[in-house]
Amino acid sequence: MIIRDRSMNVTPYSSGCGALVSGIQLATLSDNELTSLRDAFAEHGLLFFRDQELPPAEHLRFAERFGSIVINKFFKATSDFSKIAEVRKEKTQQTNIGGGWHTDHSYDEIPAMGSILVARTLPKTGGDTEFANLAAAYDALPPAMKKRIANLRAVHSNEHLYGENGVYRHTDLAEQLGGMDRVGDATHPVVIKHPESGRNVLYVNPGHTIQFEGWDFTESRVLLDELYAHVNQPQFTCSFNWLPGSVTFWDNRCTWHQAKNDYQGEARLMHRITLAGTALTAFSFKLLLALLSHSYLLVLSF
Ligand code: SIN
């Protein structure tokens, strides 16, 4: 990629997942740096930052420079900033928020573009966040599987997690979550064309995808589990260890994440801002076939 600002460095975090951005402060980005950051975000879909001075007011200002904010219906906001959600686990609590693989807001009709997570209170060890790269995972699917899922759509929901009888209501997080009367579903293509990078991305996730449209639950489960096992491989995943001053910015259209719950007896508090996206469009498999057969015919005609 072309770096428009000489001070900013973008290096791959692992071979197939994320990039570490250094040489900038998110609170005082120049317009050039912001443009470079947009390019890096479109290319990698997952950016890690260290040693940031980003108090809540600056977190909000950075997010607003990048896009418009969507407020999460279920998490509590901080007392001073209604647009900053708390991802909180007290030392007395057993359950954490986001402890299984998921994509933020895939249950919305227009899913969130990205999430910016800032570490506020960290356990002495543990509490890493793991990520998966869904564009790389799609590329590596066998052609027969790509063909099989090409025209499928999937239903994404939040009811089984945050609804009246949802998983979280039976845990020690119940008191701090709201919105149980605002649950809902949305249906999206299983393979989307990423709005900025143009890459094909597998858009299903274990947290929110409940079944394929027009399929029954059990039949859906078998194929979903096969896809999930494919994504959850070391070549598409990475783990980020949080330090004071760490920030992560991920693209919800092409990643999964999960927070490790391996620090019982200690508190962890993160501040999250979620950025609004655009309606998702399906990747056109028919178009690809048409292009391939066209180039095949061109080759034959020479
Ligand atoms: C989340 O799921 O958005 C939170 C991730 C984390 O706390 O590491």
Coordinates of all heavy atoms in Angstrom, one line a residue, residues 36-97:
S36 N -4.3 7.8 5.3 CA -3.5 6.6 5.2 C -4.1 5.5 6.1 O -4.1 4.3 5.8 CB -2.1 6.9 5.8 OG -1.4 7.8 5.0
L37 N -4.7 5.9 7.2 CA -5.3 5.0 8.1 C -6.5 4.3 7.4 O -6.8 3.1 7.6 CB -5.7 5.7 9.4 CG -5.8 4.8 10.6 CD1 -4.6 4.1 11.0 CD2 -6.3 5.7 11.8
R38 N -7.3 5.1 6.7 CA -8.4 4.6 6.0 C -8.0 3.5 5.0 O -8.6 2.5 4.8 CB -9.2 5.7 5.2 CG -10.0 6.5 6.1 CD -10.9 7.5 5.2 NE -11.5 8.5 6.0 CZ -12.5 8.4 6.8 NH1 -13.1 7.2 6.9 NH2 -13.0 9.4 7.5
D39 N -6.9 3.8 4.3 CA -6.3 2.8 3.3 C -5.9 1.5 4.0 O -6.2 0.4 3.6 CB -5.1 3.4 2.6 CG -5.4 4.6 1.7 OD1 -6.6 4.8 1.4 OD2 -4.5 5.3 1.3
A40 N -5.2 1.7 5.2 CA -4.7 0.5 5.9 C -5.9 -0.3 6.4 O -5.9 -1.5 6.4 CB -3.9 1.0 7.1
F41 N -7.0 0.4 6.8 CA -8.2 -0.3 7.4 C -8.8 -1.1 6.3 O -9.2 -2.2 6.5 CB -9.1 0.8 8.0 CG -10.3 0.2 8.7 CD1 -10.1 -0.5 9.9 CD2 -11.6 0.3 8.2 CE1 -11.2 -1.0 10.6 CE2 -12.7 -0.2 8.9 CZ -12.4 -0.9 10.1
A42 N -8.9 -0.5 5.1 CA -9.5 -1.2 3.9 C -8.7 -2.4 3.5 O -9.2 -3.5 3.2 CB -9.7 -0.2 2.8
E43 N -7.4 -2.2 3.6 CA -6.5 -3.4 3.2 C -6.5 -4.5 4.2 O -6.5 -5.7 3.8 CB -5.1 -2.8 3.0 CG -4.1 -3.9 2.5 CD -2.7 -3.4 2.1 OE1 -2.6 -2.2 2.0 OE2 -1.8 -4.2 2.1
H44 N -6.4 -4.2 5.5 CA -6.1 -5.2 6.5 C -7.4 -5.6 7.3 O -7.5 -6.7 7.8 CB -5.1 -4.8 7.5 CG -3.7 -4.6 6.8 ND1 -2.9 -5.6 6.5 CD2 -3.1 -3.5 6.4 CE1 -1.8 -5.1 5.9 NE2 -1.9 -3.8 5.9
G45 N -8.3 -4.7 7.4 CA -9.6 -4.9 8.2 C -9.4 -5.1 9.6 O -10.4 -5.4 10.4
L46 N -8.2 -5.0 10.1 CA -7.9 -5.2 11.6 C -6.6 -4.5 11.9 O -5.6 -4.9 11.4 CB -7.8 -6.7 11.8 CG -7.4 -7.1 13.2 CD1 -8.3 -6.6 14.3 CD2 -7.3 -8.7 13.3
L47 N -6.7 -3.4 12.7 CA -5.5 -2.6 13.0 C -5.3 -2.6 14.5 O -6.2 -2.4 15.3 CB -5.7 -1.2 12.5 CG -6.0 -1.1 11.0 CD1 -6.2 0.4 10.7 CD2 -4.8 -1.7 10.2
F48 N -4.0 -2.8 14.9 CA -3.6 -2.7 16.3 C -2.7 -1.5 16.6 O -1.9 -1.2 15.7 CB -2.9 -4.0 16.7 CG -3.6 -5.3 16.5 CD1 -3.2 -6.2 15.5 CD2 -4.8 -5.6 17.2 CE1 -3.9 -7.4 15.3 CE2 -5.5 -6.8 17.0 CZ -5.0 -7.7 16.1
F49 N -2.9 -0.9 17.7 CA -2.1 0.3 18.1 C -1.6 0.1 19.5 O -2.3 -0.4 20.3 CB -3.0 1.6 18.0 CG -3.7 1.8 16.7 CD1 -4.9 1.1 16.5 CD2 -3.2 2.6 15.7 CE1 -5.6 1.3 15.3 CE2 -3.9 2.7 14.5 CZ -5.1 2.1 14.3
R50 N -0.4 0.6 19.7 CA 0.2 0.5 21.1 C 0.4 2.0 21.6 O 0.5 2.9 20.7 CB 1.5 -0.2 21.1 CG 1.5 -1.7 20.7 CD 0.9 -2.5 21.8 NE 1.0 -3.9 21.6 CZ 0.3 -4.8 22.2 NH1 -0.6 -4.5 23.1 NH2 0.5 -6.1 21.9
D51 N 0.6 2.1 22.9 CA 1.0 3.4 23.5 C 0.2 4.6 23.0 O 0.8 5.7 22.7 CB 2.5 3.6 23.1 CG 3.4 2.5 23.6 OD1 3.1 2.0 24.7 OD2 4.2 2.0 22.8
Q52 N -1.1 4.5 23.0 CA -2.0 5.6 22.6 C -2.4 6.4 23.9 O -2.7 5.8 24.9 CB -3.2 5.1 21.9 CG -2.9 4.4 20.6 CD -2.3 5.4 19.5 OE1 -2.8 6.4 19.3 NE2 -1.1 5.0 19.0
E53 N -2.4 7.7 23.7 CA -3.1 8.6 24.7 C -4.4 8.8 24.2 O -4.6 9.7 23.4 CB -2.3 9.9 24.8 CG -0.9 9.8 25.4 CD -0.8 9.7 26.9 OE1 -1.8 10.1 27.5 OE2 0.2 9.2 27.4
L54 N -5.4 8.1 24.7 CA -6.8 8.2 24.1 C -7.8 8.2 25.2 O -8.6 7.2 25.3 CB -7.0 7.1 23.0 CG -8.0 7.4 21.9 CD1 -7.6 8.5 21.0 CD2 -8.3 6.1 21.1
P55 N -7.9 9.3 25.9 CA -9.0 9.3 26.9 C -10.4 9.3 26.2 O -10.4 9.5 25.0 CB -8.8 10.7 27.6 CG -7.9 11.5 26.8 CD -7.1 10.5 25.9
P56 N -11.5 9.1 27.0 CA -12.8 8.9 26.3 C -13.1 10.0 25.3 O -13.7 9.7 24.2 CB -13.7 8.8 27.5 CG -12.9 8.2 28.6 CD -11.5 8.8 28.4
A57 N -12.9 11.3 25.7 CA -13.3 12.4 24.7 C -12.5 12.2 23.4 O -13.1 12.5 22.3 CB -13.0 13.7 25.4
E58 N -11.3 11.8 23.5 CA -10.5 11.7 22.3 C -10.8 10.4 21.5 O -10.8 10.4 20.2 CB -9.0 11.6 22.6 CG -8.5 12.9 23.2 CD -8.7 14.1 22.3 OE1 -8.8 14.0 21.1 OE2 -8.9 15.2 22.9
H59 N -11.2 9.4 22.2 CA -11.7 8.1 21.6 C -12.9 8.5 20.7 O -13.0 8.1 19.5 CB -12.1 7.2 22.7 CG -12.6 5.8 22.3 ND1 -13.1 4.9 23.2 CD2 -12.6 5.2 21.1 CE1 -13.5 3.8 22.6 NE2 -13.2 3.9 21.3
L60 N -13.8 9.3 21.3 CA -15.0 9.7 20.6 C -14.7 10.6 19.4 O -15.3 10.4 18.3 CB -15.9 10.5 21.6 CG -17.3 10.8 21.2 CD1 -18.1 9.6 20.8 CD2 -18.1 11.5 22.3
R61 N -13.8 11.5 19.6 CA -13.4 12.4 18.5 C -12.8 11.7 17.3 O -13.1 11.9 16.2 CB -12.4 13.5 19.0 CG -12.5 14.8 18.3 CD -11.7 15.9 19.1 NE -10.3 15.7 18.9 CZ -9.6 16.1 17.9 NH1 -10.1 16.8 16.9 NH2 -8.3 15.8 17.8
F62 N -11.9 10.7 17.6 CA -11.3 9.9 16.6 C -12.4 9.1 15.8 O -12.4 9.1 14.6 CB -10.3 8.9 17.2 CG -9.8 7.9 16.2 CD1 -9.2 8.2 15.0 CD2 -10.1 6.5 16.4 CE1 -8.9 7.2 14.0 CE2 -9.7 5.5 15.5 CZ -9.1 5.9 14.3
A63 N -13.3 8.5 16.6 CA -14.4 7.7 15.9 C -15.2 8.6 15.0 O -15.5 8.2 13.9 CB -15.2 7.1 17.0
E64 N -15.5 9.8 15.5 CA -16.4 10.7 14.7 C -15.7 11.2 13.5 O -16.3 11.5 12.5 CB -16.9 11.8 15.6 CG -18.1 11.4 16.4 CD -18.5 12.4 17.5 OE1 -17.7 13.3 17.9 OE2 -19.7 12.2 18.0
R65 N -14.4 11.3 13.5 CA -13.6 11.7 12.3 C -13.7 10.5 11.3 O -13.6 10.8 10.1 CB -12.1 12.0 12.6 CG -11.9 13.3 13.3 CD -10.5 13.6 13.6 NE -9.8 14.0 12.4 CZ -8.5 14.1 12.3 NH1 -7.7 13.8 13.3 NH2 -7.9 14.5 11.1
F66 N -13.8 9.3 11.8 CA -13.7 8.2 10.9 C -15.1 7.9 10.3 O -15.2 7.4 9.1 CB -13.2 6.9 11.6 CG -12.4 6.0 10.7 CD1 -11.0 6.2 10.6 CD2 -13.0 5.1 9.9 CE1 -10.3 5.4 9.8 CE2 -12.3 4.2 9.1 CZ -10.9 4.4 9.0
G67 N -16.2 8.1 11.0 CA -17.5 7.7 10.5 C -18.6 8.1 11.5 O -18.3 8.8 12.5
S68 N -19.8 7.6 11.3 CA -20.9 8.0 12.2 C -21.1 6.8 13.2 O -20.8 5.6 12.8 CB -22.2 8.4 11.6 OG -22.5 7.4 10.6
I69 N -21.5 7.1 14.4 CA -21.5 6.1 15.4 C -22.9 5.4 15.6 O -23.9 6.1 15.4 CB -21.1 6.8 16.8 CG1 -19.7 7.2 16.6 CG2 -21.3 5.9 18.0 CD1 -19.2 8.1 17.7
V70 N -22.9 4.1 15.8 CA -24.2 3.4 16.2 C -24.1 3.0 17.7 O -23.0 2.5 18.1 CB -24.5 2.1 15.3 CG1 -25.2 2.5 14.1 CG2 -23.3 1.3 15.1
I71 N -25.2 3.2 18.4 CA -25.2 2.9 19.8 C -25.6 1.4 20.0 O -26.7 1.0 19.5 CB -26.0 3.9 20.6 CG1 -25.4 5.2 20.4 CG2 -26.2 3.5 22.0 CD1 -26.1 6.4 21.1
N72 N -24.9 0.7 20.7 CA -25.2 -0.7 21.0 C -26.5 -0.8 21.9 O -26.5 0.0 22.9 CB -24.0 -1.5 21.6 CG -24.3 -2.9 21.8 OD1 -25.0 -3.3 22.8 ND2 -23.8 -3.7 20.9
K73 N -27.4 -1.6 21.6 CA -28.7 -1.7 22.3 C -28.6 -2.4 23.7 O -29.5 -2.3 24.5 CB -29.8 -2.4 21.5 CG -30.2 -1.7 20.3 CD -31.2 -2.4 19.5 CE -30.6 -3.5 18.6 NZ -31.5 -4.0 17.5
F74 N -27.5 -3.2 23.8 CA -27.5 -4.1 25.0 C -26.5 -3.7 26.1 O -26.6 -4.0 27.2 CB -27.2 -5.5 24.5 CG -28.2 -5.9 23.4 CD1 -27.7 -6.1 22.1 CD2 -29.5 -6.1 23.7 CE1 -28.6 -6.4 21.1 CE2 -30.4 -6.4 22.6 CZ -30.0 -6.6 21.3
F75 N -25.4 -3.0 25.6 CA -24.3 -2.7 26.6 C -24.7 -1.4 27.3 O -25.2 -0.5 26.7 CB -23.0 -2.6 26.0 CG -22.5 -3.8 25.2 CD1 -21.3 -3.7 24.4 CD2 -23.2 -5.0 25.3 CE1 -20.9 -4.8 23.7 CE2 -22.7 -6.1 24.6 CZ -21.6 -6.0 23.8
K76 N -24.2 -1.2 28.5 CA -24.3 0.1 29.2 C -23.3 1.0 28.6 O -22.2 0.7 28.3 CB -24.0 -0.1 30.7 CG -25.2 -0.5 31.5 CD -25.1 -0.1 32.9 CE -26.3 -0.4 33.7 NZ -26.1 -1.4 34.7
A77 N -23.7 2.3 28.6 CA -22.7 3.3 28.1 C -22.0 3.8 29.4 O -22.4 3.6 30.5 CB -23.5 4.5 27.5
T78 N -20.8 4.5 29.1 CA -20.1 5.1 30.2 C -21.0 6.2 30.8 O -21.9 6.8 30.1 CB -18.8 5.7 29.8 OG1 -19.0 6.8 28.9 CG2 -17.9 4.7 29.0
S79 N -20.7 6.6 32.0 CA -21.6 7.7 32.7 C -21.4 9.0 31.9 O -22.4 9.8 31.9 CB -21.3 7.8 34.1 OG -19.9 7.9 34.3
D80 N -20.3 9.3 31.3 CA -20.1 10.6 30.7 C -20.3 10.6 29.2 O -20.5 11.7 28.6 CB -18.7 11.1 31.0 CG -18.5 11.4 32.5 OD1 -19.5 11.7 33.1 OD2 -17.3 11.2 32.9
F81 N -20.3 9.5 28.6 CA -20.3 9.5 27.1 C -21.3 8.4 26.6 O -21.1 7.2 26.7 CB -19.0 9.2 26.5 CG -18.0 10.2 26.8 CD1 -17.2 10.1 27.9 CD2 -17.8 11.4 26.0 CE1 -16.2 11.1 28.3 CE2 -16.9 12.4 26.3 CZ -16.1 12.2 27.4
S82 N -22.5 8.9 26.1 CA -23.6 7.9 25.8 C -23.2 7.1 24.5 O -23.8 6.1 24.3 CB -24.9 8.7 25.5 OG -24.7 9.6 24.5
K83 N -22.2 7.5 23.8 CA -21.8 6.8 22.6 C -20.7 5.8 22.8 O -20.2 5.2 21.9 CB -21.4 7.8 21.5 CG -22.6 8.6 21.0 CD -22.2 9.6 19.9 CE -23.4 10.3 19.4 NZ -23.0 11.4 18.5
I84 N -20.2 5.8 24.0 CA -19.1 4.8 24.3 C -19.7 3.7 25.2 O -20.2 3.9 26.3 CB -17.9 5.5 25.1 CG1 -17.4 6.6 24.3 CG2 -16.9 4.4 25.4 CD1 -16.2 7.3 24.9
A85 N -19.7 2.4 24.7 CA -20.2 1.3 25.4 C -19.1 0.7 26.3 O -17.9 0.7 25.9 CB -20.7 0.2 24.4
E86 N -19.5 0.2 27.5 CA -18.6 -0.5 28.4 C -18.6 -2.0 28.1 O -19.7 -2.6 28.1 CB -19.0 -0.2 29.8 CG -18.7 1.2 30.3 CD -18.9 1.3 31.8 OE1 -19.6 0.4 32.4 OE2 -18.5 2.3 32.4
V87 N -17.5 -2.5 28.0 CA -17.4 -4.0 28.0 C -16.7 -4.3 29.3 O -15.5 -4.2 29.4 CB -16.5 -4.5 26.7 CG1 -16.4 -6.0 26.8 CG2 -17.2 -4.0 25.4
R88 N -17.5 -4.6 30.3 CA -17.0 -4.7 31.7 C -17.1 -6.1 32.3 O -18.2 -6.7 32.1 CB -17.9 -3.7 32.5 CG -17.6 -3.6 33.9 CD -18.6 -2.8 34.7 NE -18.4 -1.3 34.4 CZ -17.5 -0.6 35.1 NH1 -16.7 -1.1 36.0 NH2 -17.4 0.7 34.8
K89 N -16.1 -6.5 33.0 CA -16.2 -7.7 33.8 C -15.6 -7.3 35.2 O -14.4 -7.0 35.2 CB -15.5 -8.9 33.2 CG -15.7 -10.1 34.0 CD -15.0 -11.3 33.4 CE -15.2 -12.5 34.3 NZ -14.0 -13.3 34.4
E90 N -16.4 -7.4 36.2 CA -15.9 -7.2 37.6 C -15.2 -8.4 38.1 O -15.4 -9.5 37.6 CB -17.1 -6.9 38.5 CG -18.0 -5.7 38.1 CD -17.3 -4.3 38.2 OE1 -16.1 -4.3 38.7 OE2 -17.9 -3.3 37.9
K91 N -14.4 -8.2 39.1 CA -13.6 -9.3 39.6 C -14.5 -10.4 40.2 O -14.1 -11.5 40.3 CB -12.5 -8.9 40.5 CG -12.9 -8.2 41.8 CD -11.6 -7.8 42.6 CE -12.1 -7.0 43.8 NZ -10.9 -6.5 44.5
T92 N -15.7 -10.0 40.6 CA -16.6 -11.0 41.2 C -17.4 -11.8 40.1 O -18.1 -12.7 40.5 CB -17.6 -10.3 42.1 OG1 -18.1 -9.2 41.4 CG2 -16.9 -9.8 43.4
Q93 N -17.4 -11.3 38.9 CA -18.2 -12.0 37.8 C -17.4 -13.1 37.2 O -16.2 -13.1 37.0 CB -18.6 -10.9 36.8 CG -19.6 -9.9 37.3 CD -20.0 -8.9 36.3 OE1 -19.1 -8.2 35.7 NE2 -21.2 -8.6 36.0
Q94 N -18.2 -14.1 36.7 CA -17.6 -15.3 36.1 C -17.7 -15.2 34.6 O -16.8 -15.6 33.8 CB -18.4 -16.6 36.5 CG -18.5 -16.8 37.9 CD -17.1 -17.2 38.5 OE1 -16.4 -18.0 37.9 NE2 -16.7 -16.5 39.5
T95 N -18.8 -14.6 34.1 CA -19.0 -14.5 32.6 C -18.4 -13.3 32.0 O -18.4 -12.2 32.7 CB -20.5 -14.5 32.3 OG1 -21.1 -15.5 33.2 CG2 -20.9 -14.9 30.9
N96 N -17.9 -13.3 30.8 CA -17.5 -12.1 30.2 C -18.4 -11.8 29.0 O -19.1 -12.7 28.5 CB -16.0 -12.2 29.8 CG -15.7 -13.1 28.7 OD1 -16.5 -14.0 28.4 ND2 -14.6 -12.9 28.0
I97 N -18.3 -10.6 28.5 CA -19.1 -10.2 27.3 C -18.2 -10.6 26.1 O -17.0 -10.4 26.1 CB -19.3 -8.7 27.3 CG1 -20.3 -8.3 28.4 CG2 -19.9 -8.2 25.9 CD1 -20.6 -6.8 28.5

